[in-house]
Amino acid sequence: MSAKLILGTEIREEILEEITAEVAEIKKKHGMVPGLVTILVGESPASVSYVTLKIKTAHRVGFHEVQDNQPADISEKDLLALIDKYNKDDSIHGILVQLPLPKHIDDKKVLNAIDPDKDVDGFHPVNVGRLMIGGDEVKFPPCTPAGIQEMIVRAGVETSGAEVVVVGRSNIVGKPIANMMVQKGKGANSTVTIVHTRTRDLAAHCKRADILIVAAGVPGLVKPEWIKPGACVIDVGVNRVGEKPSAKDPSKMVAVLRGDVDFDAAKEIAGYITPVPGGVGPMTITMLMHNTLKSLKFKLGIA
Amino acid sequence: MSAKLILGTEIREEILEEITAEVAEIKKKHGMVPGLVTILVGESPASVSYVTLKIKTAHRVGFHEVQDNQPADISEKDLLALIDKYNKDDSIHGILVQLPLPKHIDDKKVLNAIDPDKDVDGFHPVNVGRLMIGGDEVKFPPCTPAGIQEMIVRAGVETSGAEVVVVGRSNIVGKPIANMMVQKGKGANSTVTIVHTRTRDLAAHCKRADILIVAAGVPGLVKPEWIKPGACVIDVGVNRVGEKPSAKDPSKMVAVLRGDVDFDAAKEIAGYITPVPGGVGPMTITMLMHNTLKSLKFKLGIA
């Protein structure tokens, strides 16, 4: 048996096209487009590269995009004032502060200063709480878990009554996706188990999973014999395990990425599987765009 | 084998004595006591009885207690103004609005108007979010789940690495206790599964639980053969299954209560078990007092 691949790269294109069409329609009807501001403090190459990709994607789907770059020595007070400005700006529906911030700034204080109704990353305690409460309360599910749920749904995998096992209990992936899958409603209604470093028998739990979501950050942690035949395996791990010459320019080295699942062997057992790279990765920015569009729709009362 | 009983009635006394001592000490050192306001709208007998018990307990532990009774026809606007008044009142550290509210008032709007730092019930989205984030973020875990965790810890049951199965996914018990038990730290670090009405094989999950927490609201749902020998069984169900003459006054009828677990048979298999009544029930108001004390301690910077 060879698993059906769930490709984030393909699903991203589908969703971005849907968003583009919806943005155009809302613009026509309401004369507004979603506005996203990206706040970048300093010039760390990794941060610049992430922000650039977000900006590019926002432009592609027709958003109003504001790029606000600040020097690395901006004071916490000034950064908070900047956030306050965008909280009050009616043309902005999503505020993104690229992490990490310089050490003299309290990350948490800055993120918690974002208006929860513009917190399209979904990490503000209010949005975390809304996510756990579920139903109509939910505004912005965090982007990676939202992407995972979307991939499962679009692959046509049944979630209602399914045994979902989540490996990892991070605030970015493990805990939110577990809370999402257990709720009532579409793409959820699953029996959910969270396993982690203290779990006694990781293998036994993985073996009974109809949907196995692995976000442990340990390359190759999940062995093929831990996978139930036909299961849907979502690999959230993106581990740099070495370097290789770039395909485009062999004089440059690029990272070799490996997931938390032994992909080559697992794909012979699983029914569905996400590759690394090209699986969950491309979904995060996609769902960020989705949340920003949703934010405008909430504001217009059409969500 | 006969299980060790975990009695909420006894643990309540221990905790209330600890709180009383700590309140006296803080009063001596800081010249302040925890302040709790109970807001009761209308005169429903059940609500009056709950509020009375809260007030009585607050007095017992030495709190400053304000009883604010409002007529059933109070407007939503006036109720919101009242909450704002107590949000600003420095002598008040906990605000309780007794539910249900009359139909012309939006429950959610009222509860969300409470300052999250005085929301000792722990149901405000900010506090739900803090609970899921975990660690130092947590301020006020909701009272029933907090009581359950406290009972498990005080009974000396090991939670780290334990298989915890939570039956029920309510916002009041199931989801919060699951989120609490999976966190790092004392009284937690468990492998957690949430099962519910859509779960395919409820019995199989219950059978592998070292700690089984049942909050389904279905009398006798959990059969004795579903219990792993030696397991810790926490029965949150309080189901009225009939009436009987009162022991104190046989001319009056009182409710016959039954839990979600078949207690008589289960206690022969479990290692630890909570009875109904007298198990989890008494813990809720106890933990409300605990949260109110904690609120003052946060304010004084000694939490």
Side-chain angles (χ1 to χ4, degrees):
Chain A
M1 186 162 64
S2 194
K4 183 174 181 283
L5 290 185
I6 308 182
L7 299 171
T9 44
E10 278 181 9
I11 298 176
R12 170 182 60 196
E13 297 307 307
E14 278 175 38
I15 297 177
L16 291 181
E17 276 173 32
E18 290 164 14
I19 294 175
T20 307
E22 205 172 343
V23 168
E25 202 189 308
I26 290 174
K27 190 177 178 181
K28 209 168 144 188
K29 271 196 196 159
H30 301 272
M32 285 190 86
V33 296
L36 179 68
V37 59
T38 52
I39 299 174
L40 173 64
V41 177
E43 295 174 332
S44 125
S47 291
V48 169
S49 134
Y50 284 128
V51 166
T52 304
L53 192 52
K54 290 171 187 174
I55 293 168
K56 212 174 119 185
T57 312
H59 283 151
R60 171 177 163 184
V61 294
F63 286 5
H64 162 57
E65 211 286 328
V66 178
Q67 191 178 343
D68 196 327
N69 294 355
Q70 295 290 333
D73 63 354
I74 185 176
S75 71
E76 187 179 278
K77 198 183 149 199
D78 287 351
L79 186 56
L80 290 171
L82 196 66
I83 286 173
D84 190 49
K85 183 185 101 176
Y86 290 116
N87 280 344
K88 289 173 180 155
D89 183 338
D90 282 342
S91 73
I92 294 297
H93 310 98
I95 300 172
L96 274 186
V97 178
Q98 185 65 43
L99 296 181
L101 289 171
K103 279 181 187 159
H104 67 280
I105 295 176
D106 180 349
D107 284 27
K108 208 188 289 178
K109 203 167 170 185
V110 169
L111 293 182
N112 288 357
I114 297 172
D115 177 348
D117 291 342
K118 296 187 177 187
D119 165 45
V120 288
D121 258 339
F123 292 132
H124 192 291
V126 169
N127 284 316
V128 176
R130 288 165 171 169
L131 187 79
M132 182 172 147
I133 294 166
D136 292 343
E137 282 282 306
V138 183
K139 285 214 154 181
F140 307 119
C143 301
T144 303
I148 293 169
Q149 191 177 36
E150 195 66 31
M151 295 177 97
I152 295 170
V153 169
R154 291 192 186 229
V157 174
E158 179 61 75
T159 58
S160 181
E163 292 288 333
V164 170
V165 175
V166 176
V167 183
R169 54 177 163 175
S170 72
N171 280 317
I172 297 177
V173 183
K175 286 189 277 179
I177 189 66
N179 275 280
M180 288 162 75
M181 298 306 291
V182 85
Q183 306 285 7
K184 291 174 187 168
K186 196 195 149 199
N189 249 322
S190 310
T191 299
V192 178
T193 302
I194 310 191
V195 301
H196 47 78
T197 43
R198 295 296 182 100
T199 293
R200 284 197 304 251
D201 193 346
L202 210 56
H205 280 291
C206 292
K207 274 179 198 167
R208 55 175 191 76
D210 301 313
I211 300 172
L212 181 61
I213 300 168
V214 192
V218 180
L221 173 72
V222 172
K223 311 300 172 214
E225 60 271 24
W226 296 9
I227 293 169
K228 183 176 168 178
C232 172
V233 179
I234 307 288
D235 188 351
V236 193
V238 182
N239 308 291
R240 286 162 195 266
V241 293
E243 285 193 323
K244 62 179 181 186
S246 161
K248 285 182 195 161
D249 176 359
S251 71
K252 285 187 183 163
M253 298 298 276
V254 292
V256 177
L257 300 178
R258 197 172 159 212
D260 289 348
V261 176
D262 181 348
F263 178 79
D264 289 330
K267 77 176 194 309
E268 300 304 320
I269 300 162
Y272 300 82
I273 194 166
T274 61
V276 175
V280 175
M283 297 300 291
T284 303
I285 291 181
T286 306
M287 298 315 287
L288 187 64
M289 300 301 138
H290 188 257
N291 275 349
T292 308
L293 169 58
K294 221 170 144 186
S295 178
L296 171 61
K297 286 163 76 180
F298 280 125
K299 205 182 154 189
L300 294 172
I302 56 171
Chain B
M1 185 162 63
S2 195
K4 181 171 182 286
L5 288 187
I6 308 181
L7 298 172
T9 45
E10 278 180 10
I11 298 176
R12 171 183 58 195
E13 296 309 305
E14 279 174 38
I15 297 177
L16 291 181
E17 276 172 33
E18 292 164 14
I19 293 175
T20 307
E22 204 172 345
V23 167
E25 201 189 311
I26 290 174
K27 190 177 178 180
K28 210 168 144 190
K29 271 197 198 159
H30 301 273
M32 284 190 85
V33 296
L36 179 68
V37 57
T38 51
I39 300 174
L40 173 63
V41 177
E43 297 173 333
S44 123
S47 292
V48 169
S49 134
Y50 285 128
V51 166
T52 305
L53 192 54
K54 289 171 188 175
I55 293 168
K56 213 175 119 185
T57 312
H59 283 151
R60 171 178 164 182
V61 293
F63 287 4
H64 162 56
E65 211 286 328
V66 178
Q67 191 179 344
D68 196 328
N69 293 355
Q70 295 292 332
D73 64 352
I74 186 176
S75 72
E76 187 180 278
K77 198 184 149 200
D78 287 351
L79 185 56
L80 290 171
L82 196 67
I83 287 173
D84 190 49
K85 184 185 99 176
Y86 290 115
N87 281 343
K88 289 174 182 154
D89 183 339
D90 282 343
S91 74
I92 293 297
H93 310 98
I95 300 172
L96 273 187
V97 178
Q98 185 64 43
L99 297 181
L101 290 171
K103 281 183 186 156
H104 67 281
I105 295 176
D106 180 349
D107 285 26
K108 206 188 293 177
K109 203 168 169 183
V110 169
L111 294 181
N112 289 357
I114 297 173
D115 178 348
D117 291 344
K118 296 189 178 187
D119 166 45
V120 288
D121 258 338
F123 292 133
H124 191 291
V126 169
N127 284 317
V128 177
R130 288 166 170 169
L131 186 80
M132 181 172 147
I133 293 166
D136 292 342
E137 282 281 308
V138 183
K139 287 216 153 180
F140 308 117
C143 301
T144 303
I148 293 170
Q149 192 177 35
E150 196 66 32
M151 296 177 97
I152 295 170
V153 169
R154 292 193 184 229
V157 174
E158 178 62 77
T159 59
S160 181
E163 292 287 333
V164 170
V165 175
V166 176
V167 183
R169 53 177 163 174
S170 72
N171 281 316
I172 297 176
V173 183
K175 286 189 276 178
I177 189 66
N179 276 280
M180 289 162 74
M181 298 305 293
V182 84
Q183 305 285 8
K184 290 174 188 168
K186 195 194 150 201
N189 248 324
S190 310
T191 300
V192 178
T193 303
I194 310 190
V195 300
H196 47 77
T197 44
R198 295 296 183 100
T199 294
R200 284 196 303 250
D201 194 344
L202 210 55
H205 281 290
C206 292
K207 274 179 198 168
R208 56 175 190 75
D210 301 312
I211 300 173
L212 181 61
I213 300 168
V214 192
V218 180
L221 172 72
V222 172
K223 312 298 172 214
E225 61 270 23
W226 296 8
I227 293 167
K228 183 176 168 177
C232 172
V233 179
I234 307 288
D235 189 352
V236 194
V238 182
N239 309 290
R240 287 163 194 263
V241 293
E243 285 192 322
K244 63 179 180 186
S246 162
K248 286 182 198 163
D249 175 359
S251 72
K252 284 187 183 165
M253 298 298 278
V254 292
V256 176
L257 299 178
R258 197 172 160 212
D260 289 349
V261 176
D262 180 349
F263 178 79
D264 289 329
K267 77 176 192 312
E268 300 304 319
I269 301 163
Y272 300 82
I273 193 166
T274 61
V276 175
V280 175
M283 296 299 291
T284 303
I285 290 181
T286 307
M287 299 315 287
L288 188 62
M289 300 303 137
H290 189 258
N291 276 349
T292 307
L293 169 58
K294 220 170 147 188
S295 178
L296 172 60
K297 287 164 74 181
F298 280 125
K299 205 182 155 188
L300 294 171
I302 56 172

